[in-house]
Amino acid sequence: MARLPSSTARGRRTRSLIYIFAAVAIVVGVVVFVYRPGPPAGVEAGNPLDRNLNMPIEANAARLTANPTPAQPQPQTRDIEPTPVAETPAEPGEPDIQPAVVIPALPVVPVGGSADPKVSAMILRAADLANANRVVEARDVLNGALALTMTAQQRTYVRTQLSRISQEWLFSRSVLPEDRLCTAYRVQPGDHLTSIAARCKVPYELLMDINGIKRPELLKAGETIKVINGPFHVRIYRSTYTMDVYLQNTLVRTYNVGLGKPGHETPTGLWVVKNRMIKPRWTDPDTGRVYEPTDPDYPLGSRWIGLEGKKGAALGRDGFAIHGTNKPEEIGTNTSRGCIRLHNGDAVTVYNMLKEGLSQVEVMD
């Protein structure tokens, strides 16, 4: 038969439980004291950081940027060889699109000759300026290098980079700081796009293209548009089948061209732009066939820029032109009757830059 515990045994048990609870309480207190939360690393105890939470956003931003975290160095990518600008034909009316501005460094010793140290230094300087978004300064440094003696590879490289960089300073709506060639203009009452373009010595189509104006009559007084201080000029090199387009004295782009075949060589000398037409009717002087713009084998492509000879072998010559083609595979060859052929997309862009009576075209060997 079970016995009830005596009062003495119950007292001993109660005291034992009290001792155990007291010991547990002491241990917990020690743990809390040792491992209590402290201030964040690098902050002194008692620093009232929470007061910053009540600061205005602008003040917090200033505080955070006062001692910015050092940026991690990024690997720099430099092309070993210059990459020529792609001359991809575009549909008529669509401007050529150039790659983003990237100016890699020129090799110290280019293939085929010794690099001019001064030119190489200017190219590196232009790369640094472009990487710092100082595009106009980079353009002017590269353009200045063209006046120096350099290897063929250096000259090709500089032309290529100037062609690429023009997409940012010229063929965009942006007006970059300190650019003497492109400015912002506020349209005045009574202004027309044609009159604005005439004062700037450029075709109105260029201002339409750059500013995204669909029709000239949509221009409104009070609007601010980008204007180009022309005129543009052209220099064509028969030995390399290339065309350099300049805005005043600054190289804008280089294009590949087709030239006259033996017996119908493209005459050297100075020409001036006589007229500009979109797909005019044309009579083949050899066969007498009359081509209409709608003919599937129409040979003149997207644009016609008529020329008038002024000096050299070009003096007194007429009937020559810069125009598009229906045979893009013949660009870079001597197959025309003396005219200068372009890819159709390039012909549209050049057409939009050259002004009748003002733009000069120099053909040289």
Side-chain angles (χ1 to χ4, degrees), residues 183-317:
T183 56
Y185 174 74
R186 184 176 295 276
V187 180
Q188 302 299 310
D191 272 343
H192 298 280
L193 198 60
T194 52
S195 60
I196 296 172
R199 292 197 298 269
C200 294
K201 302 178 181 179
V202 297
Y204 75 91
E205 292 94 340
L206 178 64
L207 301 186
M208 287 182 60
D209 184 41
I210 290 175
N211 291 284
I213 300 172
K214 300 299 182 182
R215 299 195 308 274
E217 60 270 20
L218 296 179
L219 189 69
K220 297 178 181 179
E223 286 185 301
T224 299
I225 63 173
K226 178 178 180 177
V227 296
I228 314 301
N229 300 317
F232 289 84
H233 302 292
V234 166
R235 180 171 293 167
I236 296 169
Y237 297 90
R238 299 198 306 184
S239 59
T240 57
Y241 302 96
T242 54
M243 169 193 289
D244 289 346
V245 178
Y246 291 82
L247 176 53
Q248 298 185 24
N249 295 317
T250 297
L251 180 64
V252 173
R253 280 190 181 174
T254 297
Y255 299 97
N256 295 326
V257 297
L259 299 171
K261 60 188 175 183
H264 294 278
E265 292 84 358
T266 303
T268 58
L270 185 65
W271 308 75
V272 68
V273 173
K274 180 180 178 181
N275 54 43
R276 302 180 315 130
M277 292 179 278
I278 298 176
K279 289 192 163 186
R281 174 187 291 183
W282 181 71
T283 302
D284 188 327
D286 292 329
T287 65
R289 175 183 170 182
V290 177
Y291 286 88
E292 300 291 343
T294 54
D295 291 342
D297 58 344
Y298 179 76
L300 302 184
S302 57
R303 297 292 188 273
W304 169 279
I305 305 168
L307 302 177
E308 181 180 357
K310 293 296 184 180
K311 291 183 181 179
L315 181 62
R317 306 292 295 272

Side-chain angles (χ1 to χ4, degrees), residues 54-71:
N54 298 322
M55 295 172 61
I57 293 176
E58 294 83 359
N60 261 318
R63 177 177 62 85
L64 293 173
T65 57
N67 295 296
T69 304

Side-chain angles (χ1 to χ4, degrees), residues 16-47:
S16 298
L17 290 173
I18 293 172
Y19 295 150
I20 291 172
F21 287 130
V24 170
I26 292 171
V27 171
V28 170
V30 170
V31 170
V32 170
F33 177 81
V34 173
Y35 293 100
R36 71 186 185 279
V43 179
E44 295 181 1
N47 191 13

